[in-house]
Amino acid sequence: MKKLNAATLFTITTFMSGCSTINYNTGAKTELFSEPPVGDVVEAYVGDYMLDQGKSTTMEYLTITHLIDGIAYDILPGSYARIGDFEGIPYFSATNVNGQSVRYTAGLIDPPIALHTKKQNEVCVTSVSYQAASCYDGQLKVEERTITDNQSFQQTLIYNGSVGKKINISYREFSNGSARNAFTNNVEYDMSKSNIINYKGAQIEVLGYDNSSIKFKVLKHFRSDYTVNM
């Protein structure tokens, strides 16, 4: 960050004249997913997901490719999620997806609360007083990205290989991006008795397998009320 002096502070204070209250509405699109679709024949290898059901979120991100070393603020490279808008202009978080926040000199400059861009290759910092404090040139783009929602409840089946006529499958549930230990289980199925796997409502027909891969058809997912969008 470049050193501040009295003249610079006066310029920044003068620039901070227009109040711009953000409408905090992300406009994110949330979709439930079930992979693979029912009826599809799929091959999975050891460690691969056989079934995966959860929630994905599509929203806009402001991606900055290089460090912006400003007089008042430093904006680190990374992707910043959209948090709302003002007068038709999208506003983005002051913290990127890696948890790195816009840097500033505490006590001298208002803390940043958002970023926005009006012109190509220009990004502006909005301060805690809802004012556009500083704008800088930089390499940036606004784009939509789809991510799996870490806050969602997610269920998976994972192939662990086979021994003779028996195959081993792991069931896992995820919450807040982490596996739930109480809901992680390894299950063994004897293919000499039946080639149909049933677990927590999911149903799979095994068509072929060895110790490295399995070929199967999805008959049912864990939950039938999830929207299949793949």
Side-chain angles (χ1 to χ4, degrees):
M1 183 179 295
K2 299 178 177 65
K3 188 175 180 179
L4 295 169
N5 55 40
T8 300
L9 283 171
F10 176 79
T11 302
I12 293 170
T13 304
T14 303
F15 184 76
M16 293 164 53
S17 58
C19 180
S20 52
T21 303
I22 300 170
N23 173 26
Y24 287 94
N25 179 11
T26 62
K29 295 178 290 186
T30 300
E31 294 180 309
L32 303 173
F33 65 85
S34 298
E35 302 174 351
V38 171
D40 276 19
V41 175
V42 182
E43 185 172 18
Y45 294 89
V46 171
D48 285 350
Y49 284 179
M50 297 173 64
L51 294 183
D52 188 16
Q53 198 166 54
K55 184 171 69 175
S56 65
T57 302
T58 300
M59 61 191 302
E60 282 188 333
Y61 287 82
L62 170 65
T63 299
I64 297 172
T65 57
H66 294 84
L67 171 68
I68 296 176
D69 184 8
I71 295 175
Y73 301 95
D74 288 346
I75 307 173
L76 300 176
S79 295
Y80 297 79
R82 180 171 176 173
I83 58 173
D85 62 85
F86 174 72
E87 294 184 347
I89 298 171
Y91 278 67
F92 302 86
S93 172
T95 301
N96 63 29
V97 296
N98 296 319
Q100 300 169 312
S101 299
V102 174
R103 296 173 180 169
Y104 67 103
T105 304
L108 296 178
I109 300 297
D110 278 346
I113 61 165
L115 302 173
H116 70 276
T117 178
K118 294 182 180 179
K119 302 176 183 178
Q120 186 175 8
N121 294 326
E122 181 187 73
V123 61
C124 298
V125 179
T126 298
S127 72
V128 70
S129 54
Y130 291 98
Q131 296 166 333
S134 297
C135 294
Y136 306 105
D137 292 331
Q139 299 180 35
L140 53 100
K141 60 182 177 180
V142 176
E143 59 184 352
E144 281 194 343
R145 289 173 51 192
T146 300
I147 60 172
T148 299
D149 189 345
N150 286 337
Q151 301 302 317
S152 69
F153 175 71
Q154 189 175 1
Q155 295 174 281
T156 63
L157 285 182
I158 302 171
Y159 185 56
N160 289 334
S162 66
V163 177
K165 294 290 185 179
K166 296 181 180 180
I167 65 173
N168 189 277
I169 291 174
S170 289
Y171 171 78
R172 294 182 187 175
E173 290 183 5
F174 294 85
S175 179
N176 298 321
S178 301
R180 305 171 68 193
N181 291 333
F183 297 93
T184 298
N185 193 23
N186 291 332
V187 186
E188 192 172 73
Y189 291 90
D190 189 344
M191 292 293 99
S192 66
K193 295 181 178 179
S194 174
N195 69 332
I196 302 297
I197 294 173
N198 290 281
Y199 196 87
K200 282 190 174 287
Q203 190 174 75
I204 292 171
E205 180 183 2
V206 178
L207 304 176
Y209 65 93
D210 57 30
N211 198 37
S212 62
S213 66
I214 184 170
K215 182 179 287 188
F216 61 94
K217 178 189 288 187
V218 181
L219 303 180
K220 279 182 61 181
H221 272 280
F222 300 108
R223 292 176 54 181
S224 61
D225 58 342
Y226 265 45
T227 300
V228 179
N229 54 45
M230 304 308 293

